[in-house]
Amino acid sequence: MAAPLLMLGRVAKGAGLGDVARDVQAMKFPDVSVEADVKHVTRWLSKECKRKIPGVVTNALNKTGKQVRIESRAIITRAFNNPTKPTMSATWVERAKESKPEMMIYLRETTTGKSRVAPVQWLKAQVHGGPREPKASEKRMRMSGRMLSNQFYIVNPKHRSAKTGNITGGKVEAILSQLQSAELYAGYTANQTPGSKKKGRKKNQYFTISKAGRPVGVFLRKGKSIENVLGFMNRSPQYRVRLPFYDYTTQLFNKYWPDNWRANLKKSLDI
Protein backbone atom coordinates (compact mmCIF):
# COMPACT_ATOMS: atom_id res chain seq x y z
CA MET A 1 0.00 0.00 0.00
CA ALA A 2 1.27 3.46 -0.87
CA ALA A 3 2.33 5.57 2.07
CA PRO A 4 -0.49 7.83 3.28
CA LEU A 5 0.76 11.33 2.83
CA LEU A 6 -0.18 14.86 3.74
CA MET A 7 1.22 17.41 1.31
CA LEU A 8 1.25 21.08 2.18
CA GLY A 9 1.77 23.63 -0.52
CA ARG A 10 1.23 24.03 -4.23
CA VAL A 11 1.54 27.78 -4.60
CA ALA A 12 3.70 27.68 -7.73
CA LYS A 13 2.09 29.78 -10.45
CA GLY A 14 -0.15 27.72 -12.72
CA ALA A 15 0.30 24.55 -10.72
CA GLY A 16 -2.21 21.78 -11.28
CA LEU A 17 -2.90 18.53 -9.52
CA GLY A 18 -0.37 16.75 -11.67
CA ASP A 19 2.34 19.20 -10.67
CA VAL A 20 2.27 18.54 -6.93
CA ALA A 21 5.34 16.33 -6.73
CA ARG A 22 7.35 18.69 -8.92
CA ASP A 23 6.36 21.72 -6.88
CA VAL A 24 7.11 20.04 -3.56
CA GLN A 25 10.57 19.11 -4.80
CA ALA A 26 11.31 22.47 -6.42
CA MET A 27 9.88 24.71 -3.70
CA LYS A 28 10.81 22.48 -0.73
CA PHE A 29 7.29 22.41 0.66
CA PRO A 30 6.97 20.34 3.84
CA ASP A 31 5.23 17.01 3.78
CA VAL A 32 4.10 14.74 6.59
CA SER A 33 4.03 10.98 6.22
CA VAL A 34 1.98 8.70 8.48
CA GLU A 35 3.42 5.53 6.99
CA ALA A 36 5.15 4.63 10.26
CA ASP A 37 1.84 4.73 12.16
CA VAL A 38 0.24 2.40 9.63
CA LYS A 39 3.15 -0.08 9.51
CA HIS A 40 3.26 -0.28 13.31
CA VAL A 41 -0.34 -1.49 13.37
CA THR A 42 -0.56 -3.65 10.24
CA ARG A 43 2.26 -5.97 11.26
CA TRP A 44 -0.02 -7.39 13.98
CA LEU A 45 -3.23 -7.66 11.96
CA SER A 46 -4.83 -10.53 10.11
CA LYS A 47 -5.36 -10.39 6.34
CA GLU A 48 -9.04 -9.61 6.84
CA CYS A 49 -8.27 -6.65 9.10
CA LYS A 50 -5.50 -5.39 6.82
CA ARG A 51 -8.06 -5.01 4.02
CA LYS A 52 -9.86 -2.40 6.15
CA ILE A 53 -6.77 -0.28 6.72
CA PRO A 54 -7.03 1.88 3.53
CA GLY A 55 -10.51 2.96 4.61
CA VAL A 56 -9.33 3.66 8.15
CA VAL A 57 -6.46 5.80 6.89
CA THR A 58 -8.64 7.66 4.39
CA ASN A 59 -11.30 8.53 6.98
CA ALA A 60 -8.70 9.65 9.51
CA LEU A 61 -6.90 11.83 6.95
CA ASN A 62 -10.11 13.48 5.77
CA LYS A 63 -11.33 14.21 9.29
CA THR A 64 -7.92 15.69 10.11
CA GLY A 65 -8.03 17.82 6.97
CA LYS A 66 -11.45 19.18 7.93
CA GLN A 67 -10.20 20.12 11.39
CA VAL A 68 -7.11 21.80 9.95
CA ARG A 69 -9.26 23.84 7.56
CA ILE A 70 -11.60 24.99 10.34
CA GLU A 71 -8.75 26.08 12.62
CA SER A 72 -6.93 27.72 9.70
CA ARG A 73 -9.89 30.04 9.27
CA ALA A 74 -9.47 31.26 12.85
CA ILE A 75 -5.69 31.70 12.40
CA ILE A 76 -6.16 33.73 9.20
CA THR A 77 -8.78 35.89 10.92
CA ARG A 78 -6.27 36.74 13.67
CA ALA A 79 -3.41 37.34 11.22
CA PHE A 80 -5.19 40.04 9.20
CA ASN A 81 -7.32 43.05 10.02
CA ASN A 82 -10.89 42.34 8.87
CA PRO A 83 -9.98 39.78 6.18
CA THR A 84 -12.47 39.19 3.36
CA LYS A 85 -14.47 35.96 3.18
CA PRO A 86 -12.33 34.56 0.31
CA THR A 87 -9.22 35.17 2.43
CA MET A 88 -10.68 33.51 5.52
CA SER A 89 -11.69 30.44 3.51
CA ALA A 90 -8.45 30.29 1.48
CA THR A 91 -7.29 27.00 3.03
CA TRP A 92 -8.33 24.18 0.71
CA VAL A 93 -8.28 20.42 1.26
CA GLU A 94 -7.98 17.76 -1.43
CA ARG A 95 -9.63 14.74 0.16
CA ALA A 96 -7.97 11.37 0.37
CA LYS A 97 -9.36 8.27 -1.38
CA GLU A 98 -8.87 4.61 -0.54
CA SER A 99 -7.21 4.16 -3.93
CA LYS A 100 -4.95 7.13 -3.22
CA PRO A 101 -4.48 7.67 0.52
CA GLU A 102 -3.14 11.21 0.23
CA MET A 103 -4.73 14.32 1.63
CA MET A 104 -3.43 17.67 0.42
CA ILE A 105 -3.80 21.03 2.11
CA TYR A 106 -3.00 24.16 0.13
CA LEU A 107 -4.05 27.72 -0.54
CA ARG A 108 -6.99 27.85 -2.91
CA GLU A 109 -5.90 28.21 -6.55
CA THR A 110 -9.31 28.98 -8.07
CA THR A 111 -11.32 32.19 -7.92
CA THR A 112 -14.27 32.48 -5.59
CA GLY A 113 -17.23 34.86 -5.41
CA LYS A 114 -16.79 38.08 -7.39
CA SER A 115 -13.02 38.01 -7.19
CA ARG A 116 -11.08 37.55 -10.45
CA VAL A 117 -7.96 36.49 -8.55
CA ALA A 118 -7.37 33.22 -6.68
CA PRO A 119 -6.52 33.55 -2.95
CA VAL A 120 -3.13 31.94 -3.52
CA GLN A 121 -2.08 34.92 -5.63
CA TRP A 122 -2.70 37.62 -3.04
CA LEU A 123 -1.57 35.49 -0.07
CA LYS A 124 1.66 34.21 -1.61
CA ALA A 125 3.68 37.23 -0.43
CA GLN A 126 2.09 37.00 3.03
CA VAL A 127 3.18 33.36 3.31
CA HIS A 128 6.71 33.65 1.92
CA GLY A 129 7.44 37.33 2.43
CA GLY A 130 9.10 39.44 -0.25
CA PRO A 131 7.56 41.13 -3.31
CA ARG A 132 3.93 40.60 -4.28
CA GLU A 133 2.60 39.63 -7.68
CA PRO A 134 0.98 42.32 -9.88
CA LYS A 135 -2.73 42.71 -9.23
CA ALA A 136 -5.22 42.18 -12.05
CA SER A 137 -6.04 45.90 -11.98
CA GLU A 138 -2.35 46.77 -12.31
CA LYS A 139 -2.02 44.48 -15.31
CA ARG A 140 -5.02 46.13 -16.94
CA MET A 141 -3.63 49.63 -16.41
CA ARG A 142 -0.28 48.51 -17.80
CA MET A 143 -1.99 47.09 -20.89
CA SER A 144 -3.83 50.38 -21.48
CA GLY A 145 -0.64 52.43 -21.01
CA ARG A 146 -1.77 54.11 -17.80
CA MET A 147 1.09 52.47 -15.88
CA LEU A 148 4.57 51.42 -16.94
CA SER A 149 5.36 47.71 -17.10
CA ASN A 150 7.45 47.82 -13.90
CA GLN A 151 5.02 49.89 -11.83
CA PHE A 152 2.78 48.91 -8.92
CA TYR A 153 0.31 51.00 -6.99
CA ILE A 154 -0.25 51.73 -3.32
CA VAL A 155 -3.56 53.02 -2.02
CA ASN A 156 -3.95 56.35 -0.26
CA PRO A 157 -5.18 55.50 3.28
CA LYS A 158 -8.07 57.94 2.79
CA HIS A 159 -9.45 55.67 0.07
CA ARG A 160 -9.19 52.41 1.97
CA SER A 161 -12.30 50.69 3.25
CA ALA A 162 -12.63 50.81 7.04
CA LYS A 163 -13.94 47.23 6.89
CA THR A 164 -11.19 45.55 4.85
CA GLY A 165 -8.33 48.04 5.07
CA ASN A 166 -8.04 48.08 1.28
CA ILE A 167 -9.63 49.83 -1.68
CA THR A 168 -13.01 48.38 -2.63
CA GLY A 169 -13.54 46.41 -5.82
CA GLY A 170 -16.26 48.84 -6.91
CA LYS A 171 -13.91 51.81 -6.66
CA VAL A 172 -11.21 49.94 -8.58
CA GLU A 173 -13.67 49.15 -11.37
CA ALA A 174 -14.77 52.81 -11.49
CA ILE A 175 -11.13 53.89 -11.82
CA LEU A 176 -10.44 51.34 -14.57
CA SER A 177 -13.59 52.31 -16.45
CA GLN A 178 -12.80 56.03 -16.42
CA LEU A 179 -9.16 55.37 -17.36
CA GLN A 180 -10.27 53.21 -20.32
CA SER A 181 -8.52 50.24 -18.71
CA ALA A 182 -11.47 48.00 -17.87
CA GLU A 183 -11.89 46.06 -21.12
CA LEU A 184 -10.00 42.78 -21.10
CA TYR A 185 -11.21 41.17 -24.30
CA ALA A 186 -13.43 41.77 -27.31
CA GLY A 187 -17.12 41.84 -26.45
CA TYR A 188 -16.56 42.95 -22.85
CA THR A 189 -17.55 46.60 -22.49
CA ALA A 190 -16.87 48.31 -19.18
CA ASN A 191 -14.91 51.39 -20.22
CA GLN A 192 -16.60 54.73 -19.80
CA THR A 193 -18.04 55.94 -23.10
CA PRO A 194 -17.66 59.54 -24.38
CA GLY A 195 -21.37 60.07 -23.76
CA SER A 196 -21.30 58.90 -20.16
CA LYS A 197 -18.08 60.87 -19.58
CA LYS A 198 -19.80 64.05 -20.80
CA LYS A 199 -22.75 63.41 -18.49
CA GLY A 200 -20.42 62.82 -15.56
CA ARG A 201 -18.29 65.92 -15.91
CA LYS A 202 -19.93 67.51 -12.93
CA LYS A 203 -19.36 64.36 -10.88
CA ASN A 204 -16.14 62.86 -9.52
CA GLN A 205 -13.64 61.91 -12.21
CA TYR A 206 -10.45 59.81 -12.03
CA PHE A 207 -7.39 60.61 -14.10
CA THR A 208 -3.62 59.99 -14.13
CA ILE A 209 -0.79 62.49 -13.82
CA SER A 210 2.73 62.03 -15.25
CA LYS A 211 5.98 63.77 -14.45
CA ALA A 212 8.96 63.67 -16.81
CA GLY A 213 7.08 61.13 -18.90
CA ARG A 214 6.43 58.73 -16.01
CA PRO A 215 2.93 58.17 -14.56
CA VAL A 216 2.94 59.02 -10.84
CA GLY A 217 -0.56 58.03 -9.81
CA VAL A 218 -4.33 58.13 -10.12
CA PHE A 219 -6.09 61.26 -8.89
CA LEU A 220 -9.70 62.17 -8.20
CA ARG A 221 -11.22 65.49 -9.24
CA LYS A 222 -14.02 66.47 -6.87
CA GLY A 223 -15.39 69.80 -8.03
CA LYS A 224 -12.47 72.22 -7.81
CA SER A 225 -10.33 69.99 -5.55
CA ILE A 226 -7.96 67.20 -6.57
CA GLU A 227 -6.76 64.37 -4.32
CA ASN A 228 -4.51 61.39 -4.81
CA VAL A 229 -6.11 57.91 -4.79
CA LEU A 230 -3.33 55.58 -6.00
CA GLY A 231 0.38 56.28 -5.95
CA PHE A 232 2.62 54.51 -8.49
CA MET A 233 5.96 53.05 -7.44
CA ASN A 234 8.68 51.52 -9.63
CA ARG A 235 9.11 48.35 -7.59
CA SER A 236 6.85 45.77 -6.04
CA PRO A 237 5.71 46.39 -2.44
CA GLN A 238 7.66 44.21 0.00
CA TYR A 239 5.86 42.05 2.54
CA ARG A 240 6.99 40.36 5.73
CA VAL A 241 5.73 36.86 6.56
CA ARG A 242 2.35 37.30 8.25
CA LEU A 243 0.86 33.89 7.60
CA PRO A 244 3.24 30.97 8.35
CA PHE A 245 0.93 28.62 6.47
CA TYR A 246 3.22 25.59 6.32
CA ASP A 247 4.22 25.78 9.96
CA TYR A 248 0.75 25.98 11.46
CA THR A 249 -0.89 23.49 9.10
CA THR A 250 1.81 20.95 9.92
CA GLN A 251 1.33 21.59 13.63
CA LEU A 252 -2.43 21.23 13.33
CA PHE A 253 -2.06 18.00 11.39
CA ASN A 254 0.23 16.56 14.05
CA LYS A 255 -2.23 17.72 16.72
CA TYR A 256 -5.30 15.96 15.29
CA TRP A 257 -3.97 12.99 13.31
CA PRO A 258 -3.02 10.62 16.20
CA ASP A 259 -6.47 10.75 17.84
CA ASN A 260 -8.30 10.46 14.52
CA TRP A 261 -6.12 7.51 13.49
CA ARG A 262 -6.69 5.64 16.77
CA ALA A 263 -10.43 6.41 16.89
CA ASN A 264 -11.05 5.23 13.30
CA LEU A 265 -8.88 2.17 13.85
CA LYS A 266 -10.85 1.12 16.95
CA LYS A 267 -14.18 1.78 15.25
CA SER A 268 -13.39 -0.14 12.05
CA LEU A 269 -11.62 -3.10 13.68
CA ASP A 270 -13.94 -3.18 16.72
CA ILE A 271 -11.03 -3.22 19.17
Side-chain angles (χ1 to χ4, degrees), residues 79-258:
F80 301 104
N81 182 29
N82 294 322
T84 60
K85 288 183 179 179
T87 298
M88 289 190 290
S89 58
T91 305
W92 207 246
V93 175
E94 195 75 33
R95 290 172 60 84
K97 302 177 182 178
E98 288 192 29
S99 59
K100 188 179 181 182
E102 297 178 355
M103 181 268 293
M104 289 171 282
I105 301 176
Y106 51 91
L107 292 172
R108 186 166 182 161
E109 298 170 336
T110 55
T111 57
T112 177
K114 296 181 180 179
S115 175
R116 292 189 177 93
V117 183
V120 65
Q121 292 300 319
W122 71 72
L123 287 174
K124 191 185 300 184
Q126 308 285 359
V127 171
H128 296 287
R132 70 162 170 80
E133 293 286 321
K135 297 180 179 181
S137 52
E138 290 169 333
K139 292 178 180 178
R140 289 154 78 180
M141 282 195 280
R142 291 175 181 181
M143 290 174 63
S144 67
R146 295 291 184 169
M147 296 179 74
L148 300 182
S149 60
N150 66 330
Q151 287 186 316
F152 296 77
Y153 67 65
I154 54 175
V155 182
N156 185 329
K158 288 178 60 177
H159 290 271
R160 292 176 182 171
S161 165
K163 185 177 180 180
T164 65
N166 207 339
I167 190 169
T168 64
K171 185 173 287 188
V172 169
E173 287 302 318
I175 291 172
L176 294 174
S177 176
Q178 292 186 22
L179 296 182
Q180 301 294 296
S181 302
E183 296 185 7
L184 297 175
Y185 45 83
Y188 174 81
T189 55
N191 287 339
Q192 186 182 58
T193 63
S196 61
K197 185 175 182 180
K198 185 176 181 180
K199 291 178 182 179
R201 280 177 180 172
K202 294 183 180 180
K203 299 180 180 179
N204 300 340
Q205 288 288 316
Y206 296 100
F207 62 98
T208 56
I209 291 179
S210 297
K211 290 184 179 180
R214 297 186 69 85
V216 297
V218 174
F219 293 79
L220 173 64
R221 180 181 290 110
K222 300 173 66 175
K224 294 182 179 180
S225 66
I226 294 176
E227 61 183 53
N228 174 249
V229 180
L230 304 176
F232 294 169
M233 53 194 303
N234 297 327
R235 59 182 177 82
S236 173
Q238 300 290 311
Y239 288 82
R240 61 178 176 83
V241 175
R242 295 181 63 185
L243 190 69
F245 180 79
Y246 308 115
D247 292 339
Y248 73 72
T249 46
T250 302
Q251 291 169 5
L252 290 174
F253 178 84
N254 289 330
K255 172 184 176 182
Y256 289 114
W257 163 258

